Amino acid sequence: MSDYQASRTALGARLRELRVECGLTGKSLASRLGWPASKVSKIETGKQSPTGNDLRAWTDALHVPETMGELTGRLRSLETHYAAWRRQLAAGVRARQEAWQVTENAAGTVWNFESAVIPGLLQTAEYARHMFIRTTALHRTVQDIDAGVNARMQRQQALYTPGRMFHFMVWEPALRMLLCPRDVMAGQLDRLAGVFGMSTVHLAVVPLGAALTVVPTHGFWIFDEQLVMVETIGAELRLTDAAETGLCWSARSARTRPLIWSSRN
């Protein structure tokens, strides 16, 4: 069981304990809360994460407000591992880019694999603009597109910092997928060609015909082999458990050959 799932299961067990101590069945509590009984069951068994408002309603219904601090702390710990995009983007894409910059700046060596898009640190402003338009529309969040693009361009200054190293690996479909107009994609590919000669950047492309031992389903980042961040369509995962970070490290190594081309060739 992952650190994230173990934490969610433990939080659910604690909530069930509070309910039982108050002498209520799951159905009775659901009735008080105006929730489907299935929601109470899923939260207690660790199949669904409660929100802060869910915890407040739970403690109010059981008349145990004194436990709110403890439960909030447990939820905060849980959310350091799993953060839904809609929640992360609530303050806009600029805020999310600035948070990413803090994480990046704390690492000396960064590895990034992308299966469907150009890595953010290598995106042109126009390509980034189309990505943010799609993302904010999908998750129905604040559309501070210009501010987000500016923040992403600011992040890219890290590529020119002496002593740091960035390793990018891209699956070939990312170079062919039209998530933006053709002229924007042409400019983006030209930008990738400009990576050659940069001492701080290594870029490699894995061809469609390569025999892979791992299915390239999601993009992920590895920071100094200590923290892994995985991007799914619904959320971002932060993995720090050695077993989980080791899996991502193995996946990174499994995809390195054969390559279409590499900026080290």
Side-chain angles (χ1 to χ4, degrees):
M1 184 182 293
S2 68
D3 283 351
Y4 165 69
Q5 186 55 42
S7 297
R8 184 161 71 168
T9 299
L11 175 57
R14 176 60 175 140
L15 291 170
R16 180 180 184 279
E17 180 181 54
L18 292 173
R19 172 181 61 75
V20 172
E21 287 176 351
C22 290
L24 290 180
T25 65
K27 290 184 178 180
S28 297
L29 177 58
S31 179
R32 283 192 184 186
L33 294 170
W35 294 354
S38 60
K39 179 175 179 177
V40 170
S41 176
K42 288 179 180 178
I43 289 176
E44 290 188 346
T45 56
K47 295 179 180 178
Q48 177 178 331
S49 299
T51 65
N53 288 336
D54 289 340
L55 293 181
R56 175 66 65 186
W58 196 289
T59 56
D60 286 348
L62 297 179
H63 306 294
V64 287
E66 67 278 6
T67 64
M68 189 61 189
E70 171 208 341
L71 297 174
T72 300
R74 286 173 177 261
L75 181 61
R76 187 176 298 115
S77 175
L78 176 64
E79 289 177 340
T80 63
H81 294 280
Y82 181 98
W85 287 121
R86 183 167 295 183
R87 185 172 69 249
Q88 288 202 79
L89 296 171
V93 290
R94 174 185 175 180
R96 186 68 204 105
Q97 292 302 299
E98 292 174 344
W100 261 99
Q101 187 172 28
V102 171
T103 301
E104 288 166 349
N105 288 344
T109 304
V110 177
W111 291 262
N112 176 210
F113 170 78
E114 296 292 352
S115 62
V117 299
I118 304 301
L121 287 177
L122 300 180
Q123 291 180 6
T124 65
E126 282 308 303
Y127 185 95
R129 182 180 307 279
H130 285 279
M131 294 304 99
F132 288 146
I133 289 173
R134 288 175 174 275
T135 298
T136 55
L138 175 64
H139 298 291
R140 301 177 184 176
T141 57
V142 177
Q143 296 190 347
D144 58 334
I145 306 301
D146 290 340
V149 170
N150 290 336
R152 174 158 286 181
M153 296 303 102
Q154 180 62 38
R155 279 177 56 199
Q156 294 182 4
Q157 294 305 307
L159 300 177
Y160 304 95
T161 304
R164 302 192 67 190
M165 194 65 208
F166 295 85
H167 300 267
F168 298 101
M169 182 173 292
V170 181
W171 198 30
E172 184 181 355
L175 307 182
R176 300 178 178 275
M177 198 172 299
L178 287 177
L179 300 173
C180 58
R182 291 182 180 276
D183 61 327
V184 172
M185 192 63 189
Q188 177 60 71
L189 294 178
D190 184 63
R191 158 64 173 149
L192 293 182
V195 165
F196 290 104
M198 292 184 65
S199 62
T200 59
V201 177
H202 172 220
L203 172 64
V205 178
V206 181
L208 279 170
L212 304 177
T213 58
V214 179
V215 179
T217 50
H218 300 300
F220 62 84
W221 295 72
I222 304 175
F223 300 92
D224 286 338
E225 302 182 40
Q226 301 298 316
L227 167 67
V228 173
M229 298 181 72
V230 182
E231 296 183 333
T232 72
I233 192 170
E236 174 187 274
L237 310 181
R238 296 175 66 93
L239 310 178
T240 55
D241 180 78
E244 294 174 323
T245 57
L247 279 175
C248 290
W249 186 253
S250 297
R252 183 209 68 85
S253 300
R255 295 180 179 133
T256 56
R257 285 177 173 72
L259 304 176
I260 291 179
W261 48 266
S262 166
S263 60
R264 285 183 176 172
N265 292 344

